[in-house]
Amino acid sequence: MFLRVTGTSTVAEGKVDPVHQFTIEPLFGTDHWSIAGHNIAFTNSALWMVITTLVLIVFVGGGAKKAQVPGRWQMAVEGLTGFVDTLLQSNIGDAGRKYLPYVFSLFTFILFANLLGLLPLALVGIHPFTATSHFTVTGVLAIMSFAIVLIVGFAKHGFHFFSLFVPHGTPAVMVPVIFPIELISFLVRPFSLGLRLFVAMMAGHVLLEVLSGFVISGTNAGVGTFFLAGVPSFLLMIGICALELLVAGIQAYVFALLTCVYLNDAENLH
Amino acid sequence: MPQIAQLADTYASQVFWLLVCFGLVFFVIGRGLLPGVVSTIDQRNKQIADDLGAAEAARAAADAEEQAWRIAEGKQRAQAHALIAAAKADAARNTQAALEAAAARIEETTAAAEARIAAARAAAQGEVQDVAAQAAQDIVSRLAGLSVSAEDARGAVQGVLAHG
């Protein structure tokens, strides 16, 4: 999407708007699709979430064979499953198995959404949309994880779950100070969880767009600026693209890892 | 920033479609496909663990078998050695006995032969005395005309023979 310079509203007086790529454009259902008065139009964001879902279902469905000796595809799906399973096992222990469906869905959904948003499909005129660059999306995912932590925590430990805010070995006099601090740090979790992913994805895409703007403006301004600004910016973009692929994986991993860590608090109260 | 600028217009759509998509992912993949994948992995790991266990047991059995075979082989070797030693001792004893018998036989034969030789010599001696006594009688009767009895002649001959 960093190459979309010829789009109608992207180019205003020859400049590239680096955040235009995050604009949500309704595709259909704008007028009459609504639930309880809230419009639920099918947008480009929804389209890419659906694409993510379909790709994910095809990927896992294609690899969910039960062969004793796995093929490549099955190996890939089992590797991914084993990765998430190890994550849960190492953070929560044997009790972590029951969260595998949720954490696997979370990790793969974010990973695929991140990666699909990075595809250079603009070369063929399709503009990928990164759903995870919207905090409405990452926020819902974060609230979901946080809600599960709260539900599991209170269901398993009742009001004893509040002892989470008093770390083991805290002197009695320190409890009034430590408790609010721990409570606040606990309540900040869903925000940090959701914002981290949103900021990381948005920053990468903006950076690529800004650099591509440098390439185009530099090239348009003449041969001198082409070599001075255009070429270095383009080389930097190649590196940033590789970095963004890494970030796409790391952010999905961090989201899943932190969910595991928080679930561990709820599952095995210290 | 469209995320904020469009928030009021789009949040319902965003949340709704996210819940639809994530719900699909969770129920179709997480609840539907994943248990199969996990059970396949677990089953394979169990199979591998079982196979390794079986191989370990088979190796232990083979080791035990080899040990037993070694002991049996040692025993048989010892038996064979004992048999050979007994056979050797037997053979040595037989040889010894045969040699002794042969030596006794040779001794006997030698003794008999010597006795025969001694007898022959004595007989020859006697004959010589007889011939010498007769010759002496003859010589005396011819030369001196004396008639010497056979006993005297014999005694004379014996005396001469004894004195060399």
Side-chain angles (χ1 to χ4, degrees):
Chain A
M1 71 190 68
F2 43 85
L3 290 173
R4 60 194 293 198
V5 278
T6 51
T8 47
S9 57
T10 40
V11 183
E13 298 147 17
K15 281 193 198 150
V16 179
D17 179 7
V19 293
H20 179 76
Q21 55 180 325
F22 305 117
T23 310
I24 294 171
E25 286 152 7
L27 299 177
F28 45 84
T30 319
D31 302 326
H32 45 275
W33 284 14
S34 63
I35 293 177
H38 298 286
N39 183 269
I40 51 155
F42 192 80
T43 61
N44 55 345
S45 173
L47 173 67
W48 281 92
M49 287 194 270
V50 168
I51 290 173
T52 303
T53 306
L54 292 180
V55 170
L56 200 48
I57 288 173
V58 168
F59 172 67
V60 179
K65 300 184 202 78
K66 300 193 173 173
Q68 198 61 252
V69 178
R72 283 178 210 170
W73 198 334
Q74 193 185 341
M75 203 72 193
V77 172
E78 285 181 2
L80 201 60
T81 312
F83 173 72
V84 178
D85 194 30
T86 313
L87 191 67
L88 282 162
Q89 177 71 35
S90 58
N91 278 292
I92 305 177
D94 289 333
R97 250 297 163 79
K98 60 177 172 289
Y99 302 111
L100 185 64
Y102 175 68
V103 177
F104 182 85
S105 304
L106 197 62
F107 175 69
T108 50
F109 186 77
I110 295 172
L111 180 69
F112 275 57
N114 291 352
L115 290 175
L116 287 172
L118 277 172
L119 288 181
L121 294 176
L123 290 171
V124 293
I126 304 166
H127 294 159
F129 184 91
T130 316
T132 43
S133 67
H134 275 252
F135 58 76
T136 29
V137 171
T138 60
V140 169
L141 294 174
I143 289 167
M144 235 176 339
S145 288
F146 191 67
I148 291 174
V149 169
L150 286 181
I151 291 166
V152 170
F154 281 112
K156 213 172 153 71
H157 305 286
F159 285 105
H160 191 62
F161 185 54
F162 283 109
S163 73
L164 179 68
F165 308 130
V166 183
H168 201 63
T170 311
V173 284
M174 293 295 284
V175 170
V177 184
I178 297 285
F179 191 88
I181 294 174
E182 288 287 328
L183 181 63
I184 290 166
S185 86
F186 181 77
L187 294 178
V188 161
R189 281 175 179 181
F191 296 97
S192 66
L193 197 57
L195 287 176
R196 183 184 296 110
L197 175 58
F198 145 68
V199 164
M201 294 323 294
M202 182 175 161
H205 285 268
V206 168
L207 185 58
L208 286 172
E209 193 88 7
V210 167
L211 285 171
S212 66
F214 287 170
V215 176
I216 291 151
S217 313
T219 310
N220 287 343
V223 181
T225 48
F226 169 70
F227 284 108
L228 207 65
V231 173
S233 296
F234 188 72
L235 291 177
L236 188 58
M237 273 180 72
I238 295 172
I240 301 280
C241 279
L243 183 69
E244 283 309 307
L245 287 173
L246 185 69
V247 168
I250 286 175
Q251 287 303 327
Y253 173 67
V254 165
F255 204 109
L257 175 68
L258 286 175
T259 300
C260 291
V261 171
Y262 299 159
L263 279 171
N264 180 44
D265 284 343
E267 187 70 35
N268 314 310
L269 199 58
H270 58 81
Chain B
M1 202 159 102
Q3 285 96 329
I4 294 168
Q6 293 183 307
L7 182 60
D9 295 333
T10 60
Y11 77 94
S13 153
Q14 289 279 72
V15 171
F16 174 76
W17 288 107
L18 172 67
L19 290 179
V20 168
C21 293
F22 190 78
L24 262 177
V25 170
F26 179 73
F27 286 108
V28 174
I29 294 175
R31 286 250 173 266
L33 296 170
L34 214 55
V37 175
V38 171
S39 76
T40 308
I41 295 174
D42 286 350
Q43 204 179 326
R44 183 182 308 123
N45 287 345
K46 190 177 163 295
Q47 173 100 46
I48 290 169
D50 287 355
D51 286 357
L52 283 177
E56 190 60 47
R59 197 176 59 180
D63 280 352
E65 196 89 348
E66 198 199 346
Q67 193 63 29
W69 175 78
R70 248 177 234 289
I71 290 168
E73 197 219 5
K75 216 178 278 173
Q76 277 163 3
R77 197 180 285 274
Q79 256 170 20
H81 273 303
L83 269 176
I84 290 167
K88 260 186 195 164
D90 216 21
R93 213 164 38 244
N94 283 348
T95 312
Q96 191 68 26
L99 278 176
E100 274 169 9
R105 220 167 40 244
I106 290 164
E107 197 79 6
E108 202 177 301
T109 314
T110 313
E114 273 171 1
R116 259 201 329 275
I117 290 167
R121 184 182 281 160
Q125 197 90 25
E127 214 126 313
V128 168
Q129 276 176 17
D130 282 351
V131 171
Q134 256 170 19
Q137 254 179 314
D138 257 8
I139 291 165
V140 167
S141 67
R142 276 217 199 140
L143 287 178
L146 290 173
S147 164
V148 182
S149 68
E151 279 76 32
D152 288 348
R154 185 172 294 266
V157 166
Q158 270 175 347
V160 171
L161 274 174
H163 294 112

